Structure formats: structure tokens, C-alpha cells
Amino acid sequence: MLHLIVHIAGIVNFAYAIYWELCILDDPRSKPGSPRAFAGQWKYLTFLNLWLQLFYFSISFLNSIFGSHSTEAKSATTLQKIRDFLFSTLAFPIGQFVGFMFWGLFYINRELVFPAALDKIFPNYINHMLHTTVIPSQLLELMLLYHLYPRKKLGIATAFIFFAIYLTWIFIVAHFGGFWVYPILKVLGPVQRIIFMLSCSMVGGLLYLLGEALNNMVWSKYSHKNEDTGVIEQKNK
């Protein structure tokens, strides 16, 4: 029952955050004619993550109603397989990345990621809906439900490909829009910028490994790793 509450809370939180950004937010940076209007909110990883989390928690909710919570891949429904693959490769690592990276840079030097001037257009509660709620919601999801993880190479590759596509998108925005999406990229030199981006991609892969390790630790009494396939399976009773 508790996991259903987490699903519904996640759906409401991320759906409202998306609605607020699209229909209520009055951001002069995104208005036509602004030098930073190119691609609107779609250039921000935070906004893309909102859609990712909304989709994930919707799938997880539907799986709780119509799917399965199997600890064996062979008996898991299609909904559960989609849920678990999405959780392990994108929803958990990208969600944690957005939350911890944002607040880490915020407390180091907020002007590098969320200038103080934005406080006038982003209420504090909206800022937390965008950057904070994803951390506990995904951790609760991990603790309340067992997730079947894919083979490690496939999982890390999926997370890496996502980051590679987004980093490519950042360069596209910089080329055609004439600005860097995040202030920190503006102050870094070319080499530092590449190192920073590669480091972010590596962090994404490490967060995938962290999610798998936490999943195995929390659910260790129910699972083991098949050495042939690399897939976490139910222990023999």
C-alpha cells in the first residue's frame, strides 16, 4: 500500500511541476526574442527529468495494479520489465544526478547553476519540486519494491547513451542558440568543459552501479546474481 502512495505522490508532484513550468512560469529567458529562448525549457536536464520521472512513476503505478512484483525475470510481466529497466538505467541514476548535482553546485556557487535572480520567478517550493523530491521518491521506490536489474554492460551503456545524447544536445543549443545552457559551462575553458562533461557522464554510470548495489543490499535475502547472464534472480528456496 505504501508503494502506491509513493507512486501517486510522485505522479502528482512531477505532473504539477511540468504544468507549472509550461503554463505558469513567467521566465523572460524563454520568451520569444530573448537571447536564451532557443529550445525553451526543453534544453534543461531538470525539465527532461520531470518527464522521465512522471513516465516512470506512471508505469510503476500501472504495474502495481495490472503487472507483477516478481523476483524472477522469467515470471515478470512486460510492465514490470519496462518498469525495472527504466528504474535501473534512467529513472534512478538520472534522478539522483539531477538532485545531488544541482544542490552540490548550488552550495558551492549557486551562480554557476541557479543564479539568485531566478528566486524572483521560481518559488522555493517549486525549486524543491524540481530538484529535491526526486531523491527521496526514488530511494523509497528502491526500498519498497524489488527491481530486476539488466546485465551490467547493458545498464551502464543505456545510462551513458542518455548522457551522451544530452551532452550533444547542449552543444547543439550552444551552436544554434549562441549560449551555454548552464552558467558553469560558460566560465570553464574548452578543455575544462570537456573534462566536466565527461566527469558528469561517469557520475551517471556510477549512480547506476550505486542503485544496483543498494538494490542488492536491501533485497539480498531474496536475490542472487546469475554468473552466466549477470541478471539478479530469486534465490532458490
Side-chain angles (χ1 to χ4, degrees), residues 40-54:
Q41 299 303 109
W42 296 97
K43 57 181 172 281
Y44 299 111
L45 182 59
T46 294
F47 187 69
L48 298 176
N49 180 62
L50 293 176
W51 284 99
L52 170 63
Q53 299 301 327
L54 176 61

Side-chain angles (χ1 to χ4, degrees), residues 2 4 6 42 52 61 65 67 70-71 75 111 118 120 123 128 132 137 145 150 152 179 192 199 204 217-218 228 231:
L2 181 56
L4 289 174
V6 173
W42 296 97
L52 170 63
F61 176 76
I65 303 299
S70 176
T71 55
S75 58
E111 296 301 315
L118 294 180
K120 298 178 181 179
H128 284 296
T132 306
S137 62
L145 293 173
K152 189 167 295 184
F179 63 92
Q192 294 173 317
S199 298
M217 180 176 68
V218 172
D228 295 325
V231 174

Side-chain angles (χ1 to χ4, degrees), residues 199-219:
S199 298
C200 288
S201 298
M202 292 177 63
V203 169
L206 291 174
L207 285 171
Y208 168 85
L209 295 176
L210 175 64
E212 183 181 38
L214 290 174
N215 185 69
N216 294 346
M217 180 176 68
V218 172
W219 300 95

Side-chain angles (χ1 to χ4, degrees), residues 172-187:
I172 291 174
V173 172
H175 178 75
F176 291 101
F179 63 92
W180 290 105
V181 175
Y182 303 104
I184 188 174
L185 297 175
K186 183 179 179 180
V187 302

Side-chain angles (χ1 to χ4, degrees), residues 102-124:
F102 174 84
W103 289 113
L105 291 174
F106 186 94
Y107 286 111
I108 292 172
N109 183 352
R110 66 170 300 177
E111 296 301 315
L112 297 177
V113 63
F114 195 81
L118 294 180
D119 289 343
K120 298 178 181 179
I121 59 177
F122 283 88
N124 193 47

